[in-house]
Amino acid sequence: MKTPQQRKAASIRSVIRYLQKFKNAVIVIYLDDETIESPLFTSHVRDIALLHQAGLKVIIIPGTRSRIDQILKANNIEWTYKNQVRVTPEAAMPLIKMAAFDVSNTVMTTLAANNITAVIGNWVRGRSKGIIDGFDYGTAGEIERLNVEAIQTVLNDGFIPIFPCIGWNAAGRPYNISSVSLSQQVAIHLGADKLFYVMQTGSINGAKYKIPEGFAIAENGDVAAMNLDEVENFISINRELNDSASLEIMSVLEKACEACTKGVTRVHIVDGTLDGVLPCEIFSDLGSGTMIYTNNYGKIRQMVHTDIAPVLTVMRPFIDSGKLLPRTESQLAELVDEFIVYELDGGVHACAGLHQYAGGQCEIEAVAVDENFAHMGIGPKLIKNLFERAKNSGAKSVFIMTTQASDWFEKLGFIADSIDTIPAERKAKWTPERNSKVYRKIL
């Protein structure tokens, strides 16, 4: 168990590492309409201002559904939905445009209260969605082109661009564009490092959804991360859910996958009801939402000399509790070729070693996983990796010696064995005071 000081130090190191990583990164943030109308809106905007001041290039796309609903109802204009697209008569378009700019102005005003200058612009070239399968989508539009050069100029000048959900054709005719789709397209066209969907229904949790086995689950039950294959699996087993919140999440997940395949590094779906969710998701390894990614998130690799300090940090709580034998920096330097580590976004959060003996035996040693990541199944992945390494070396079996983790190793297929079966040189280091037990796995 980490001490409070160790947890504090790890948190600060994580923030510093991510500040370096995301300096000048492009971040696209979609704020759904319920979040904008919530008591936490000003707190979210304050966090966005802090991100901007930290050197991130932020773009905001506000959701306007409820504001459009209010204005259309006030003017007795009816509308319908077709495939989650709002369909309205031509008379509704001036009111939709007014609602879109009204919400954008609310965001801009709140940013101004935090000493941040924002710009509302008409950077979207739109076109009519038209008639599909005989159905006329009326004023609904699609994105034809984005004025990327103008957007980049605004970002480079130190302003935050705000996108109303309106696109104009070449003749100046406005169309109603989906803010969710607009967020995705802006992120794709600008090669964003991150795309955020901040939603009141943004929690993807096992309490509501079926979660396939093997998913990375946070301590609160949220899905911490999904790769593209896992997203497809998640959607397929939750297709029977047809409430509006679930359908919205499924739609966002599909757009997230498309964004990732078209160059957006990562997409994050976060819960707008949580204060501080944006900086927590950006500046911590585990975050506070669900991340969609293609690769480079969590990998096992060979340990190198620059990993020694963070590996010792991971080991320290296990050494203090007596689960691991003490190791020094010089000892690890001599054994660096025997160790593997688990790296997430440049941070080392787990380690394990494999020592080879004559006679076809290998020992797995010093398995340690940061307690904050223990729920992600990293330990079994390390063991599996070392099994493969042992097989490739010609080993017939691997053994471990443990004082407090016998149950965990038994789950991974290890069976209790006699101390007399291990190599003599290893047996010579065994002490009755520590009284480690031997467990073996036949390869």
Side-chain angles (χ1 to χ4, degrees):
M1 180 73 71
K2 287 182 179 179
T3 66
Q5 178 60 30
Q6 288 171 336
R7 286 193 292 269
K8 185 187 298 183
S11 177
I12 293 172
R13 288 173 186 140
S14 177
V15 170
I16 293 172
R17 189 173 75 251
Y18 280 110
L19 279 171
Q20 294 170 335
K21 182 180 179 69
F22 293 121
K23 183 74 173 180
N24 294 319
V26 175
I27 310 293
V28 178
I29 301 174
Y30 164 78
L31 299 170
D32 77 351
D33 51 310
E34 292 182 18
T35 297
I36 293 173
E37 295 173 354
S38 75
L40 282 179
F41 172 61
T42 55
S43 180
H44 289 313
V45 172
R46 183 173 65 250
D47 288 339
I48 290 172
L50 291 172
L51 295 177
H52 175 76
Q53 291 164 343
L56 285 72
K57 295 181 177 179
V58 180
I59 298 170
I60 299 176
I61 291 87
T64 57
R65 175 178 296 181
S66 61
R67 183 60 179 146
I68 292 174
D69 288 350
Q70 293 169 6
I71 291 181
L72 293 184
K73 284 180 181 178
N75 287 272
N76 298 315
I77 294 180
E78 297 183 353
W79 69 92
T80 60
Y81 278 95
K82 176 74 170 180
N83 297 324
Q84 299 186 39
V85 175
R86 186 193 296 269
V87 181
T88 63
E90 192 66 34
M93 198 58 228
L95 299 173
I96 292 174
K97 187 167 66 172
M98 180 175 68
F101 277 86
D102 183 32
V103 174
S104 294
N105 187 66
T106 296
V107 175
M108 184 174 68
T109 302
T110 311
L111 283 167
N114 288 272
N115 298 315
I116 301 297
T117 302
V119 177
I120 301 171
N122 58 342
W123 302 291
V124 182
R125 174 67 63 84
R127 59 179 174 82
S128 171
K129 193 172 182 68
I131 300 172
I132 301 175
D133 295 330
F135 185 86
D136 188 349
Y137 281 85
T139 59
E142 294 184 344
I143 301 165
E144 184 174 274
R145 183 170 59 85
L146 294 174
N147 192 339
V148 174
E149 184 177 347
I151 300 166
Q152 289 176 333
T153 298
V154 172
L155 289 171
N156 292 335
D157 287 343
F159 304 133
I160 292 182
I162 301 174
F163 283 71
C165 62
I166 305 295
W168 290 263
N169 69 9
R173 182 186 181 90
Y175 294 103
N176 184 15
I177 305 288
S178 162
S179 296
V180 171
S181 297
L182 180 57
S183 305
Q184 179 214 48
Q185 289 300 307
V186 171
I188 291 171
H189 282 80
L190 271 79
D193 297 270
K194 288 183 177 290
L195 165 59
F196 283 89
Y197 287 102
V198 184
M199 306 162 60
Q200 298 288 297
T201 56
S203 179
I204 301 178
N205 192 285
K208 180 172 183 179
Y209 299 99
K210 295 178 182 178
I211 310 299
E213 186 177 351
F215 274 39
I217 306 298
E219 292 181 355
N220 64 356
D222 286 353
V223 176
M226 287 188 268
N227 62 36
L228 302 191
D229 290 337
E230 288 173 332
V231 172
E232 184 177 344
N233 187 12
F234 178 86
I235 292 175
S236 67
I237 69 171
N238 287 282
R239 288 194 185 279
E240 72 277 7
L241 298 175
N242 58 7
D243 59 286
S244 59
S246 298
L247 290 174
E248 187 174 22
I249 287 292
M250 299 304 166
S251 176
V252 169
L253 283 172
E254 290 173 349
K255 287 178 170 57
C257 286
E258 183 181 355
C260 286
T261 59
K262 292 184 177 180
V264 178
T265 306
R266 292 175 189 170
V267 180
H268 304 259
I269 302 171
V270 297
D271 188 348
T273 66
L274 301 177
D275 192 13
V277 69
L278 282 167
C280 285
E281 185 70 8
I282 293 177
F283 295 127
S284 64
D285 293 312
L286 290 177
S288 298
T290 300
M291 183 179 74
I292 313 302
Y293 66 99
T294 52
N295 51 33
N296 295 326
Y297 177 79
K299 62 182 179 181
I300 296 173
R301 61 167 174 79
Q302 183 66 45
M303 180 176 165
V304 296
H305 284 278
T306 53
D307 296 325
I308 291 175
V311 163
L312 284 172
T313 298
V314 172
M315 287 183 176
R316 192 162 292 117
F318 297 89
I319 293 171
D320 293 343
S321 66
K323 294 178 181 178
L324 290 184
L325 289 170
R327 285 170 173 81
T328 65
E329 185 174 339
S330 59
Q331 287 174 329
L332 283 179
E334 293 178 0
L335 301 174
V336 68
D337 292 335
E338 296 185 357
F339 273 77
I340 57 174
V341 298
Y342 181 89
E343 178 189 297
L344 191 154
D345 277 343
V348 172
H349 300 287
C351 65
L354 182 73
H355 185 77
Q356 297 182 28
Y357 294 92
Q361 293 194 58
C362 285
E363 179 184 9
I364 291 178
E365 56 185 351
V367 180
V369 180
D370 186 323
E371 63 182 13
N372 292 322
F373 297 79
H375 60 279
M376 292 178 62
I378 296 170
K381 292 177 183 177
L382 292 174
I383 299 297
K384 181 179 179 181
N385 184 285
L386 293 181
F387 282 166
E388 293 300 317
R389 290 177 178 234
K391 285 182 182 178
N392 292 337
S393 73
K396 297 179 177 60
S397 69
V398 294
F399 69 91
I400 59 94
M401 302 188 71
T402 182
T403 58
Q404 301 177 42
S406 57
D407 291 336
W408 188 78
F409 283 107
E410 284 181 343
K411 288 180 181 179
L412 298 176
F414 285 84
I415 299 174
D417 204 352
S418 168
I419 189 71
D420 295 325
T421 64
I422 66 175
E425 60 184 287
R426 181 64 181 92
K427 183 179 178 182
K429 298 178 183 178
W430 182 89
T431 63
E433 291 78 19
R434 185 167 174 81
N435 196 27
S436 299
K437 293 182 178 181
V438 177
Y439 285 78
R440 188 176 298 277
K441 168 79 173 178
I442 305 299
L443 299 177

